[in-house]
Amino acid sequence: MATFNLENPSTGKSEDEFQRFDDKDRDDVLERSTAAFKKWREVPLKERAAVLSKTADVYEKNKDLYAEHIGREMGKLTEQAKGEIDVVISIYRYYADNAEELLADRDLGEKGAKRTFVRKDPLGPLLGVMPWNFPYYQVARFAAPNLLLGNTIVLKHASICPLSSQDCQDAFEEAGLPKDAYINVYASGSQVEPFIADERIKGVSLTGSEEAGSAVAKAAGEHYKKSLLELGGNDPFVVLDDKNLEFVLTNFLGIRLFNTGQACNAPKRLIVLEDFYDRTVEFLTEAVKQIKVGPFDDPEADISALSSIGARDEIVERIEKAEKDGTARIVWGGKKIDKPGAFMEPALLVDLDPNADIGCNEIFGPVVTVYKAKDEEEAIELANNTSYGLASSVWAEDEEHAAEVASRLEAGMTFVNEASVTGADLPFGGIGRSGYGRELAEWGVGEFVNEHLFRVSALKPQG
């Protein structure tokens, strides 16, 4: 049987060894998930909610251990890892605390019958394909509402996250989730399609790259399965005035470089008016130079290693090619750091061609890009010049005017004087190359569900 190792990006060393999923075990996994579904869906809603509440308790208890696991796996700084787990806890508690309201029948009135209503029924076993950048949060976003509904889950996590992916299953089972209602499989990307093709899988949710999303959507469509895709983003961060410029730019830099710049909904393109463009670049140049790079467990580090050496090298090569091609100018940074691990200098780029690779495709790392607009109209045009559509934000002292500008941006989520806000009670999702469908809040239970219509009429025999 094939094996793989945890590759610690902070050290560049191979650590624990794991067994790769074997195709011959697929039928057994799906049989178990199906059998578990038949039982789990019949568990009273109050008890399903209690399992989610206890799951939150398990994460609270194991916060330090879980944070260390994702630090070793994908390089997340310890305090940021703990922050991720806090969000996870809030998600499980949200669905536990609001279960009755979220899954209540919707009464449509009589409508020609004695009673007409819609009930939310589960679909069955679901496949989740999750990424490495927020290993616990991405799973919680998918798993919490669907387990509450009564669906069961087979979860294929990113291969670089073997510890945290098993943590997710173990946490559920410790909280009282019946065995096989959630099954972690160490499958590869090439093993996903046969799961989707199997009639026992009723839907698939993927958070990841556009390439992976396209493949999953195609397979799901061919087999008449519901799919949900949360993909990349090239989110604009539009600054309309310089009233609080340093405050706004400090916020931008912190959000952009959070998780070492590896967040799909982080602002990727800073768009400022030409009146204060030079001051913006000057401020960011000095700020980026001060960013400290260190291993995940360094409390003084501002950013850490990227998820892998390959991911780091790809970004560095794209930056170098953009400068060579004249589609961007490097103000500072962007080079590999000569030490073991997947470390690079944070980069500041200007004079970008918005239609070249470096401008129109997502950069998943610690890279700050600045665009100059002559006026608000050009800023809006630049912001919407993207095939992505995850999030966007507009910043100005006059929040009413900023809201008017924000209303013209094309994205699944738009913010005024804040960015990249996520919460258990807020819907999350995008349009275009950023995917389709929504997660979290009430929308989280609205994707993989049978909105089951019932009509109850009196029997009236003909006399």
Side-chain angles (χ1 to χ4, degrees):
M1 182 179 291
T3 61
F4 67 103
N5 291 87
L6 184 157
E7 304 289 342
N8 189 327
S10 290
T11 64
K13 295 181 179 179
S14 295
E15 298 183 358
D16 305 0
E17 184 177 83
F18 299 85
Q19 297 291 323
R20 177 70 69 189
F21 177 76
D22 195 311
D23 288 336
K24 67 179 177 58
D25 296 326
R26 184 179 301 108
D27 188 65
D28 175 64
V29 165
L30 293 175
E31 278 296 302
R32 286 158 47 204
S33 185
T34 302
F37 168 67
K38 292 176 181 177
K39 295 178 179 179
W40 178 240
R41 69 174 302 173
E42 298 301 328
V43 172
L45 178 59
K46 186 175 182 179
E47 294 180 25
R48 297 202 299 268
V51 168
L52 296 186
S53 181
K54 291 175 183 175
T55 301
D57 295 339
V58 174
Y59 276 87
E60 188 75 68
K61 179 184 70 173
N62 292 320
K63 186 183 297 186
D64 290 346
L65 175 64
Y66 289 175
E68 179 196 359
H69 283 177
I70 58 177
R72 289 171 56 200
E73 290 174 336
M74 48 73 62
K76 183 165 294 185
L77 293 171
T78 298
E79 287 308 306
Q80 293 185 8
K82 291 180 180 179
E84 175 182 341
I85 295 166
D86 285 336
V87 176
V88 168
I89 291 166
S90 73
I91 291 172
Y92 288 120
R93 288 191 173 144
Y94 170 84
Y95 282 103
D97 294 344
N98 295 280
E100 296 288 346
E101 178 183 353
L102 291 169
L103 269 61
D105 294 345
R106 182 179 176 186
D107 195 329
L108 302 180
E110 294 182 358
K111 297 193 180 300
K114 293 193 71 173
R115 185 187 174 202
T116 301
F117 64 98
V118 174
R119 187 179 76 189
K120 290 182 171 66
D121 287 346
L123 294 181
L126 305 175
L127 176 66
V129 183
M130 295 294 127
W132 48 261
N133 57 330
F134 291 90
Y136 299 115
Y137 164 70
Q138 307 282 10
V139 170
R141 218 167 60 182
F142 167 59
N146 284 299
L147 289 173
L148 184 68
L149 272 166
N151 293 318
T152 54
I153 291 172
V154 176
L155 203 292
K156 175 252 177 292
H157 217 311
S159 294
I160 69 173
C161 295
L163 296 174
S164 55
S165 58
Q166 188 60 44
D167 288 340
C168 293
Q169 178 176 323
D170 293 346
F172 281 130
E173 292 182 357
E174 183 177 341
L177 185 71
K179 186 173 176 58
D180 297 333
Y182 181 102
I183 302 174
N184 173 55
V185 293
Y186 289 135
S188 64
S190 63
Q191 293 175 304
V192 167
E193 196 279 334
F195 274 103
I196 299 173
D198 193 285
E199 63 180 7
R200 288 166 289 192
I201 288 292
K202 303 304 181 185
V204 54
S205 176
L206 175 139
T207 299
S209 69
E210 299 100 272
E211 182 181 7
S214 177
V216 163
K218 179 180 179 181
E222 288 176 347
H223 297 285
Y224 314 103
K225 307 290 178 68
K226 175 69 182 289
S227 61
L228 183 150
L229 303 180
E230 298 287 2
L231 309 177
N234 203 12
D235 299 355
F237 186 110
V238 181
V239 185
L240 300 180
D241 63 48
D242 61 350
K243 303 298 185 192
N244 299 283
L245 187 59
E246 291 191 5
F247 170 80
V248 172
L249 295 178
T250 299
N251 270 273
F252 166 76
L253 198 61
I255 301 168
R256 175 63 187 106
L257 297 182
F258 183 82
N259 202 31
T260 313
Q262 300 167 121
C264 56
N265 64 328
K268 307 294 195 313
R269 296 176 294 142
L270 175 63
I271 301 171
V272 301
L273 303 189
E274 63 181 2
D275 290 348
F276 48 92
Y277 172 81
D278 289 341
R279 283 194 290 132
T280 295
V281 174
E282 181 181 357
F283 177 86
L284 290 176
T285 300
E286 294 307 311
V288 170
K289 287 180 179 179
Q290 300 304 314
I291 297 296
K292 181 178 179 182
V293 184
F296 78 91
D297 54 358
D298 179 356
E300 301 300 319
D302 298 306
I303 64 174
S304 185
L306 277 85
S307 62
S308 68
I309 291 173
R312 186 271 314 274
D313 290 349
E314 179 187 8
I315 294 173
V316 170
E317 289 168 9
R318 287 176 65 192
I319 292 172
E320 291 173 347
K321 184 177 186 301
E323 185 172 54
K324 181 179 179 181
D325 295 344
T327 55
R329 178 168 64 87
I330 303 172
V331 176
W332 197 87
K335 295 181 173 60
K336 299 177 185 179
I337 295 177
D338 187 17
K339 61 185 290 188
F343 297 97
M344 68 173 283
E345 300 168 342
L348 175 60
L349 308 181
V350 298
D351 300 337
L352 292 101
D353 181 345
N355 299 310
D357 166 67
I358 203 72
C360 68
N361 293 314
E362 180 179 39
I363 307 174
F364 216 57
V367 181
V368 174
T369 63
V370 188
Y371 295 76
K372 176 169 58 177
K374 66 177 182 293
D375 53 30
E376 288 184 3
E377 288 302 315
E378 186 173 56
I380 293 169
E381 183 180 347
L382 276 169
N384 287 333
N385 182 27
T386 177
S387 55
Y388 294 96
L390 188 54
S392 59
S393 66
V394 178
W395 298 70
E397 185 177 50
D398 184 345
E399 67 265 23
E400 293 303 320
H401 178 62
E404 292 174 5
V405 172
S407 71
R408 298 174 61 189
L409 301 187
E410 299 164 2
M413 303 174 286
T414 298
F415 306 92
V416 172
N417 293 333
E418 61 179 19
S420 307
V421 177
T422 186
D425 55 352
L426 299 173
F428 187 103
I431 59 175
R433 279 173 66 193
S434 293
Y436 50 77
R438 293 295 181 270
E439 294 181 307
L440 297 175
E442 63 188 85
W443 291 267
V445 295
E447 294 288 345
F448 297 101
V449 62
N450 173 15
E451 297 278 5
H452 196 161
L453 171 67
F454 286 88
R455 284 172 59 85
V456 180
S457 297
L459 183 61
K460 299 178 181 178
Q462 297 298 314

